[in-house]
Amino acid sequence: MAQPRSPQPPAPYPEEVPRTPLRTRFHLDGGRALELGKFYQLAQQHREFYQDKTGTLYPVPYFVLPVKEMERYPHPLDLPPLSGKTRWHLQRVSPENLRTYQTFPSGKRVTSEEREVRDSFFEYRA
């Protein structure tokens, strides 16, 4: 009685089947040859895309160049200079130039410098 054979793995795609043995005495890198063959096919598709005058073929994504990082996110020093009005406004509202006031219930405002002078007179008062 014959034993049932174990299932065989599925055959690779026809374009991936090498026509020559992968290892010969003079050619030791058969995997690289398959990779170059695929690259050649993609190059021919890319060539057909550029020769197409109708615009019906799509570009081959393998050959699409990446977008430069500078075009998406410009460097802050490469931005155009600010106008005088905008620069004045930004300097006016910056935290370094904000005046801090102590407002009393009467509505009188006392600056921090004035408080420092006043506190220097009363720091030893018990």
Side-chain angles (χ1 to χ4, degrees):
M1 186 158 138
Q3 292 182 344
R5 296 191 317 175
S6 64
Q8 297 293 325
Y13 293 106
E15 63 266 6
E16 292 184 10
V17 175
R19 292 186 170 80
T20 59
L22 288 179
R23 290 187 184 265
T24 63
R25 187 170 50 165
F26 303 107
H27 183 73
L28 300 175
D29 197 5
R32 179 72 175 152
L34 288 175
E35 185 180 344
L36 288 174
K38 288 181 184 179
F39 179 79
Y40 180 76
Q41 288 177 352
L42 288 172
Q44 294 307 314
Q45 290 176 1
H46 188 61
R47 184 172 166 262
E48 290 170 5
F49 165 72
Y50 275 104
Q51 289 180 344
D52 179 37
K53 302 290 184 196
T54 61
T56 56
L57 295 179
Y58 292 102
V60 181
Y62 185 87
F63 295 101
V64 174
L65 294 176
V67 178
K68 287 184 179 179
E69 197 70 25
M70 208 172 105
E71 293 174 2
R72 292 191 311 179
Y73 305 106
H75 193 273
L77 297 178
D78 293 339
L79 294 174
L82 296 173
S83 67
K85 183 178 181 180
T86 307
R87 191 170 55 241
W88 175 83
H89 177 71
L90 288 176
Q91 286 178 347
R92 188 179 70 83
V93 298
S94 70
E96 299 167 354
N97 297 328
L98 283 181
R99 292 187 175 251
T100 56
Y101 294 108
Q102 179 183 6
T103 307
F104 290 104
S106 63
K108 181 180 178 186
R109 290 183 173 176
V110 180
T111 64
S112 57
E113 293 86 10
E114 195 173 335
R115 274 185 289 157
E116 286 176 17
V117 171
R118 183 189 64 211
D119 292 344
S120 68
F121 287 113
F122 296 110
E123 65 184 4
Y124 296 111
R125 194 169 83 172

